[in-house]
Amino acid sequence: MDDLLREFLTETNESLDVVDVELVRFEQEPNNAKILDNIFRLVHTIKGTCGFLNLPRLETLAHAAESLMGKFRDGMPVTSDAVTLILFTLDRVKEILAELERHQREPDGNDQDLIRSLDQMSQRVAPVKPAPMASAKTVGTLAPQTLERALRPGEVSLDDLERAFREAPGPAPATPVVAPAKPVVAPAKPAPEPTEKDDDDRGEGRIANQSIRVSLETLETLMTMVSELVLTRNQLLDIVRRHPESEFKVPLQRLSNVTAELQEGVMKTRMQPIGNAWQKMPRIVRDLSAELGKDIELEMHGADTELDRQVLERIKDPLTHMVRNSADHGLETPAERRAAGKPEIGTIRLSAYHEGGHIIIVVADDGRGLNTERIREKALLAGLATEAELDKMTEAQIQKFIFVPGFSTATKITSVSGRGVGMDVVRNNIDQIGGSIDVNSIKDEGLSFIIKIPLTLAIISALIVETDGDRFAIPQLSVIELVRVHAKSEHRIERIKDAAVLRLRNKLLPLVRLKTLLKLGADEAMPEKGFIVVTQVGAQTFGIVVDGVFHTEEIVVKPMSSKLRHIGMFSGNTILGDGSVIMIVDPNGVAQEIGTSATSSAHARAETAADAAGKAVVDTTSLLVFRAGSPVPKAVPLALVTRLEEVDCRKIELSNGRHMIQYRGQLMPLVRANDDVRIKADGAQPLLVFADDGRAMGLVVDEIIDIVNERLDIQVGGDGAGVLGSAVIRGQATEILDVGHFLPLAYEDWFRRKDMSVDAAARTLLFVDDSAFFRNMLSPVLKAAGYEVTTVPDAQSALALLKSGRRFDVLVTDIDMPGMDGFALAEAVRGDTRVAEMPIIALSSYSSPETIERGRQVGFHDYVAKFDRQSLVAALKEQTASLTRAA
Amino acid sequence: MIKNETTEQLTEYVTVVIGAQLFGLPIARVQDVFVPDRLTRVPLAPPEVAGILNLRGRIVTAIDMRRRLDLGKRDDAQPPMAIGIEYRGESYGLLVDTVGEVMKLPNRACEIRPANLDPRIARVASGVIRLDGQLLVVLDVDRVLDMKNDAVAA
């Protein structure tokens, strides 16, 4: 692209942003001639430059807008309509500029519509005084400008430019309009290399002019060179330390200080004031205010707080989103505010400041705040937490549910409390840049979002660990805690054959050795002692076992070579303070490698309530393999098992013909996996503990064999009660047990508690899943919850059934199915008017925000993780209950 | 530069030895020659990636040329030398056994790869130059670093 054009584009875009802000200010203070002058000048500059660069469309538009503003200057009253029209025009100018940037020429088309409106507006109110040709208020000089060096090829002298401005007539308007005041202002940076005089001429309000443009590449190079300088200095300091009497000592000290300052200075060059991201806010708030009929005042504090430009780019949209939300949902209407004894004008406050190594950004409003009751209800219905868990939570903890992916999808929460639209997306964006977001709400007093983000993206805090003699960095952000283990410590590494787990506060964490992950050396048994870096990725928590832990260090993340980028286990590399290069471990990569789904145990849920919501991964299923009764191995999905226990047989009691054991202060019934299992007379008895809402049951087995990750391919038709079918696991035929069969053996009412099946009339349910395993596992659960269940193996059969006239109260469908998938099925159902109203609940082992969004679009009423029996029943209850209401 | 036999143009080559074979790299492609220090191995990396190292603040990917050319394992007693190369905006260090003198040779001396050239070498050679008593293989740096290309040959 032509240099001149590029410069013009950057300049103009910046100017337009300023005009946006100034216009809104002007509307509030119509008598402030200074603001008007400033706007006028900017628009005029744009017009002049367009004429010079031969951009007729832009020129015409700018000219028409300028004419209208000229009228303001001549005393025409400033109306909101007129300002809106000018803002509109500016939007059009921006569109054209965007095109121009892409194709390097103006797009076709014309703007007669806008120009006519502008001209009409100019004419509507006759100027109070006859339009003078030059206003007394104009500033600037007519003095010939001199450039302090010879012109370079392609450059234009300032005089020529000035002449061009004056001669740019403005294309003939459709209706005769008096040309506005002749330009008398020096152009703003008309060509590369502006003189300082320009800046002086442009008056106040534009601090940005004091700067020059430097390419990012130059900055990166500087940064690299400074890093090198720092390293060299460190080496020198090291030498001098060994020779304390050296005459270099004093000058080196000085060099050291200067280097530190230089480093800081270079880092600073990447920084931009956050005000740049806020620039569009006044305009947005103004538009919303008009649209919603609310009076809104926008306060901005700390606009000069600086942060890394990359970070700035990433938070722009989330911030805009939150401000919109505040205006739209947070603030009440003037009438409501009056009734609540609040000032009619609502306030949205944006503030930014430094705290520690972070920038804190607060978006606050004085609206109605979050409706905690509603959130609580929804969380309960969505199965994100149980009643008991919710009772223990503070208001703040409950409010955090708004960040859970998909939480806001329910219409209820958005229409009543009105909050939470897309907050999961906002949080996602902020997560990506290593930040965090918190919410603070006081009912009827207001709501604030507190965002904490690192100063720069390139520098992160990392834990330096060692394994097998090599050092690696693990981003501190994913590290929850460090656990030191040895044989005697409270936290022990336990083994279930190949799989090692850590029992940490009654939760079983899967463990993986960094050494094994990175294939450093042969596989060895898990060591008795070592350090466990407890890491969290989404809802998944796991422990990474390392040999040693050093310290936390701020590291500069450098991209990996293209030869190494395919290694998912690393996210980058860095140079440490001592000059050595180390790899940065990517916790996401590790999580994928482990591939366990950490969803559904009740305990996991309690701990990660806010984060859960089925971020579960992978298409393989973690299975717990054990032996019970016969030599044929048996398995259950690990996600259904709460804990694995080995209890002392002498503690098993027999009461009323049932085996019981004192477990965590309660009597827990024991159920044998089948009649051939014998409860041992002495020694340790292995148990699988299933717990749900305060109740626990122990399934007695002979021996726990292993935990495996396998794609489940079930052959249906197992013999004997409690067997779903068989599957080949690790090359061996294995029986898959039906957990649903055993639970009622311990408590007859297991599935009937919590008034799950209060509806007297059994509701009919159609269940579509290609996997026989899930059909068999879930139908008893659904039946127990009071539904009359019909199962079909694919979407086509489901549609055929519906076409044949069968009606169901609710449809539960898997998403990933061969042939027609769940999305397509939902679309087909929605397209059929006879059944379009039937609620649809989607089941999936994987749910990303995108799939949830897609699900919402095709018409899923709810979205439940596959193994989350509780959530499914809750969702069903909600959907069918709303059916009753609707009926 | 390979077939330009009519003019008397000269090309300068940095000569290196890899597994007893003499190679030449066009000097225009060589950024620097350095002693690789504190090489960090990268787990899970392709075998020819010897590791990464810090060269004046830049992270350089070190390529073990012996492994790359399948010329046997290096004798650990002798520390390797590295030739700094820029390839598609990234820095690489080619680990070689020894670095020799810079030779200025006429372009017309450069012959197309002879048919009997060792295939392991042929796939990264852009030509050969016959010197007194030995053969100098001109390395095609791009082909050396384009590792996907010779999956068949390897």
Side-chain angles (χ1 to χ4, degrees):
Chain A
M1 197 189 297
D2 180 356
D3 271 354
L4 208 59
L5 188 58
R6 187 181 304 134
E7 191 75 12
F8 163 73
L9 283 172
T10 335
E11 275 298 323
T12 310
N13 275 322
E14 260 174 31
S15 302
L16 285 175
D17 285 343
V18 177
V19 172
D20 257 3
V21 175
E22 293 281 283
L23 262 176
V24 175
R25 238 178 91 200
F26 179 58
E27 193 180 12
Q28 286 151 6
E29 305 172 52
N31 293 323
N32 191 331
K34 231 180 216 158
I35 305 178
L36 182 60
D37 273 345
N38 198 9
I39 302 170
F40 196 84
R41 193 165 50 231
L42 288 166
V43 175
H44 179 74
T45 308
I46 295 169
K47 177 188 118 183
T49 325
C50 293
F52 189 74
L53 291 172
N54 192 20
L55 301 168
R57 237 187 112 176
L58 281 175
E59 188 185 354
T60 321
L61 269 178
H63 177 75
E66 191 192 14
S67 302
L68 183 53
M69 278 186 278
K71 298 283 175 188
F72 291 155
R73 216 150 64 163
D74 298 341
M76 183 176 113
V78 180
T79 62
S80 173
D81 284 351
V83 172
T84 306
L85 191 58
I86 295 176
L87 287 173
F88 245 164
T89 313
L90 295 180
D91 285 346
R92 180 76 60 87
V93 169
K94 282 182 207 164
E95 281 165 29
I96 299 176
L97 285 174
E99 275 297 301
L100 193 59
E101 195 170 350
R102 268 196 297 277
H103 307 297
Q104 291 168 44
R105 59 181 190 86
E106 282 191 321
D108 298 328
N110 71 64
D111 311 289
Q112 278 312 314
D113 50 336
L114 267 178
I115 291 168
R116 201 166 303 123
S117 313
L118 282 165
D119 287 344
Q120 271 167 9
M121 186 71 79
S122 307
Q123 307 247 299
R124 193 182 303 162
V125 187
V128 175
K129 50 183 175 175
M133 289 310 281
S135 161
K137 284 183 203 126
T138 46
V139 288
T141 71
L142 273 166
Q145 316 265 328
T146 47
L147 205 58
E148 275 130 36
R149 53 168 178 72
L151 285 172
R152 291 190 187 138
E155 281 184 4
V156 186
S157 81
L158 286 171
D159 284 344
D160 284 350
L161 260 182
E162 186 61 41
R163 200 172 308 122
F165 279 118
R166 292 194 208 187
E167 285 164 8
T175 46
V177 176
V178 185
K182 279 280 182 213
V184 280
V185 185
K189 296 191 193 167
E193 306 286 339
T195 62
E196 279 188 27
K197 229 175 240 157
D198 289 333
D199 293 335
D200 294 340
D201 285 347
R202 299 177 76 183
E204 55 181 319
R206 293 215 57 186
I207 313 146
N209 291 349
Q210 305 291 332
S211 57
I212 56 158
R213 274 174 227 294
V214 181
S215 80
L216 270 176
E217 208 178 322
T218 314
L219 290 185
E220 291 301 328
T221 316
L222 270 178
M223 184 96 175
T224 314
M225 279 156 62
V226 168
S227 316
E228 179 56 24
L229 183 61
V230 170
L231 291 178
T232 316
R233 175 210 49 192
N234 292 352
Q235 281 169 357
L236 284 174
L237 284 174
D238 203 44
I239 295 169
V240 167
R241 257 194 294 276
R242 274 179 275 135
H243 303 91
E245 297 310 311
S246 165
E247 56 182 315
F248 291 122
K249 197 173 178 178
V250 175
L252 192 56
Q253 196 53 52
R254 170 112 188 88
L255 176 71
S256 174
N257 290 342
V258 174
T259 310
E261 274 170 43
L262 181 62
Q263 188 184 13
E264 202 173 304
V266 171
M267 298 273 268
K268 247 190 175 160
T269 56
R270 286 172 59 99
M271 305 300 236
Q272 281 186 333
I274 193 169
N276 289 5
W278 290 353
Q279 222 156 26
K280 293 193 166 59
M281 299 296 185
R283 167 80 189 274
I284 289 165
V285 170
R286 177 196 177 274
D287 288 356
L288 278 173
S289 164
E291 200 179 300
L292 301 166
K294 298 175 183 175
D295 283 333
I296 306 172
E297 192 180 342
L298 178 69
E299 286 178 22
M300 297 192 278
H301 305 277
D304 52 354
T305 309
E306 293 193 319
L307 66 172
D308 192 275
R309 49 166 293 282
Q310 249 177 307
V311 177
L312 198 72
E313 278 304 311
R314 301 269 192 98
I315 58 158
K316 250 186 198 170
D317 290 341
L319 282 180
T320 311
H321 188 87
M322 280 184 277
V323 167
R324 265 181 208 284
N325 252 5
S326 274
D328 196 359
H329 309 296
L331 294 175
E332 312 90 331
T333 61
E336 284 168 343
R337 292 184 68 90
R338 227 183 356 257
K342 291 185 186 180
E344 272 183 38
I345 300 178
T347 308
I348 297 176
R349 203 178 63 245
L350 279 169
S351 39
Y353 54 91
H354 284 267
E355 193 183 271
H358 290 83
I359 302 275
I360 311 288
I361 304 170
V362 183
V363 181
D365 66 54
D366 64 348
R368 52 171 79 95
L370 290 171
N371 186 335
T372 315
E373 256 319 294
R374 274 288 176 211
I375 297 172
R376 193 194 138 98
E377 267 175 44
K378 173 67 190 165
L380 191 61
L381 283 174
L384 295 171
T386 63
E387 186 110 28
E389 283 161 5
L390 283 168
D391 283 343
K392 275 182 251 155
M393 287 187 189
T394 61
E395 282 223 337
Q397 279 172 319
I398 293 173
Q399 285 163 358
K400 285 208 179 70
F401 279 114
I402 61 166
F403 296 117
V404 171
F407 187 80
S408 55
T409 53
T411 48
K412 247 187 201 163
I413 195 103
T414 50
S415 63
V416 179
S417 78
R419 273 291 176 157
V421 185
M423 283 316 292
D424 52 334
V425 179
V426 168
R427 176 172 142 158
N428 228 350
N429 271 13
I430 291 169
D431 275 353
Q432 273 172 14
I433 51 172
S436 62
I437 182 165
D438 210 347
V439 62
N440 188 358
S441 160
I442 301 170
K443 196 164 166 45
D444 296 328
E445 283 185 25
L447 172 69
S448 46
F449 286 107
I450 300 107
I451 303 166
K452 191 173 171 186
I453 41 180
L455 272 175
T456 159
L457 262 196
I459 297 181
I460 61 163
S461 181
L463 185 71
I464 313 296
V465 300
E466 190 207 334
T467 194
D468 219 35
D470 286 333
R471 286 183 295 173
F472 296 93
I474 302 178
Q476 188 77 52
L477 206 80
S478 327
V479 177
I480 305 176
E481 63 183 305
L482 274 175
V483 178
R484 186 177 186 170
V485 287
H486 46 87
K488 291 274 178 317
S489 69
E490 178 191 358
H491 309 296
R492 311 191 305 275
I493 294 180
E494 296 175 23
R495 280 176 203 79
I496 300 160
K497 283 288 190 271
D498 285 351
V501 291
L502 172 73
R503 189 183 297 265
L504 182 66
R505 283 184 292 279
N506 294 321
K507 226 176 102 177
L508 289 178
L509 282 184
L511 291 184
V512 59
R513 285 192 82 178
L514 191 56
K515 182 174 171 170
T516 315
L517 272 178
L518 302 179
K519 304 203 166 62
L520 293 165
D523 252 355
E524 300 164 30
M526 194 63 73
E528 282 283 311
K529 48 190 178 174
F531 290 91
I532 295 173
V533 182
V534 181
T535 312
Q536 185 171 20
V537 175
Q540 220 177 320
T541 310
F542 50 87
I544 303 175
V545 183
V546 298
D547 297 345
V549 171
F550 295 99
H551 56 285
T552 307
E553 186 165 332
E554 301 279 308
I555 57 171
V556 181
V557 180
K558 303 208 172 196
M560 279 193 288
S561 153
S562 55
K563 298 278 178 283
L564 304 173
R565 224 163 277 159
H566 62 280
I567 309 174
M569 219 55 77
F570 302 119
S571 59
N573 38 211
T574 188
I575 301 178
L576 289 184
D578 65 3
S580 55
V581 186
I582 68 169
M583 302 301 292
I584 303 167
V585 172
D586 182 359
N588 290 300
V590 178
Q592 261 170 26
E593 186 75 18
I594 295 178
T596 50
S597 79
T599 33
S600 56
S601 96
H603 280 261
R605 204 160 342 127
E607 286 216 4
T608 58
D611 293 312
K615 264 192 194 166
V617 270
V618 302
D619 14 29
T620 59
T621 310
S622 281
L623 294 166
L624 178 78
V625 184
F626 54 90
R627 225 181 289 281
S630 65
V632 180
K634 304 192 168 36
V636 291
L638 183 63
L640 297 175
V641 182
T642 313
R643 279 184 298 274
L644 300 173
E645 290 288 350
E646 289 208 329
V647 295
D648 185 344
C649 289
R650 281 167 301 177
K651 292 196 177 145
I652 298 177
E653 304 160 24
L654 198 65
S655 106
N656 287 337
R658 299 177 69 180
H659 291 283
M660 310 284 262
I661 190 166
Q662 287 279 350
Y663 185 71
R664 291 164 188 261
Q666 277 185 357
L667 217 50
M668 177 171 79
L670 301 183
V671 176
R672 289 178 298 156
N674 56 48
D675 292 341
D676 297 329
V677 177
R678 277 167 207 275
I679 291 180
K680 292 183 188 171
D682 66 342
Q685 175 64 56
L687 295 178
L688 315 187
V689 178
F690 299 92
D692 185 13
D693 198 33
R695 288 198 189 182
M697 169 207 121
L699 187 69
V700 181
V701 301
D702 292 336
E703 184 197 3
I704 291 167
I705 302 176
D706 205 352
I707 292 176
V708 297
N709 264 310
E710 291 260 318
R711 182 182 281 275
L712 252 194
D713 198 2
I714 295 213
Q715 320 293 317
V716 205
D719 39 344
V723 178
L724 278 181
S726 60
V728 176
I729 294 172
R730 295 262 160 106
Q732 220 180 341
T734 306
E735 285 181 348
I736 308 295
L737 293 198
D738 176 10
V739 177
H741 169 80
F742 296 101
L743 303 182
L745 294 180
Y747 295 98
E748 279 171 24
D749 60 344
W750 190 292
F751 290 122
R752 292 174 199 278
R753 294 163 299 135
K754 299 187 288 185
D755 52 22
M756 273 175 179
S757 50
V758 279
D759 300 332
R763 305 224 162 256
T764 51
L765 183 152
L766 179 59
F767 181 33
V768 192
D769 198 318
D770 60 307
S771 148
F773 171 62
F774 283 107
R775 285 203 306 273
N776 288 309
M777 190 183 81
L778 285 177
S779 12
V781 174
L782 296 171
K783 278 180 189 148
Y787 293 89
E788 206 183 298
V789 184
T790 308
T791 58
V792 288
D794 53 53
Q796 283 86 353
S797 323
L799 282 178
L801 214 54
L802 291 170
K803 274 220 176 72
S804 74
R806 280 282 298 273
R807 290 292 167 266
F808 298 92
D809 291 327
V810 59
L811 172 66
V812 178
T813 178
D814 186 20
I815 290 189
D816 308 307
M817 292 186 287
M820 193 179 195
D821 67 5
F823 293 118
L825 174 61
E827 265 165 342
V829 169
R830 289 284 169 263
D832 185 338
T833 47
R834 292 168 302 169
V835 287
E837 294 302 309
M838 178 171 59
I840 305 177
I841 295 174
L843 283 183
S844 180
S845 42
Y846 179 75
S847 55
S848 66
E850 293 78 42
T851 51
I852 290 176
E853 180 52 39
R854 186 160 168 225
R856 187 162 32 190
Q857 278 166 9
V858 298
F860 289 147
H861 283 73
D862 218 327
Y863 208 99
V864 180
K866 255 194 175 170
F867 280 115
D868 205 341
R869 193 180 64 243
Q870 223 174 16
S871 300
L872 176 60
V873 173
L876 277 170
K877 200 178 150 211
E878 184 190 1
Q879 292 309 333
T880 48
S882 61
L883 199 73
T884 320
R885 276 199 302 278
Chain B
M1 101 188 132
I2 300 168
K3 286 193 283 184
N4 203 349
E5 291 175 346
T6 49
T7 53
E8 264 303 305
Q9 281 177 333
L10 298 172
T11 302
E12 283 185 277
Y13 298 97
V14 176
T15 60
V16 300
V17 175
I18 306 165
Q21 172 63 51
L22 185 69
F23 289 89
L25 290 101
I27 205 163
R29 293 299 304 268
V30 176
Q31 305 251 316
D32 38 23
V33 175
F34 58 94
V35 182
D37 184 28
R38 292 214 278 179
L39 197 61
T40 304
R41 62 174 168 159
V42 182
L44 310 174
E48 53 267 54
V49 174
I52 47 178
L53 57 92
N54 170 13
L55 181 66
R56 294 187 293 280
R58 275 181 315 162
I59 295 179
V60 174
T61 310
I63 307 290
D64 183 340
M65 286 305 287
R66 281 212 184 205
R67 272 193 178 271
R68 178 70 187 93
L69 302 180
D70 208 5
L71 294 177
K73 217 173 141 36
R74 189 194 324 283
D75 173 15
D76 282 336
Q78 196 190 5
M81 287 294 290
I83 309 286
I85 302 278
E86 192 95 355
Y87 174 68
R88 296 194 184 164
E90 295 177 342
S91 302
Y92 292 89
L94 308 183
L95 301 191
V96 300
D97 298 357
T98 53
V99 178
E101 56 187 321
V102 174
M103 285 186 190
K104 197 179 264 187
L105 299 166
N107 286 348
R108 65 183 154 77
C110 189
E111 303 167 24
I112 310 171
R113 296 170 290 179
N116 62 348
L117 193 62
D118 186 332
R120 295 172 296 180
I121 292 172
R123 66 183 191 225
V124 291
S126 59
V128 296
I129 298 172
R130 289 178 204 285
L131 302 175
D132 288 341
Q134 63 177 331
L135 202 64
L136 179 122
V137 176
V138 179
L139 271 184
D140 182 332
V141 174
D142 293 339
R143 263 191 251 169
V144 168
L145 291 173
D146 188 8
M147 296 181 185
K148 276 163 290 184
N149 223 1
D150 49 42
V152 188

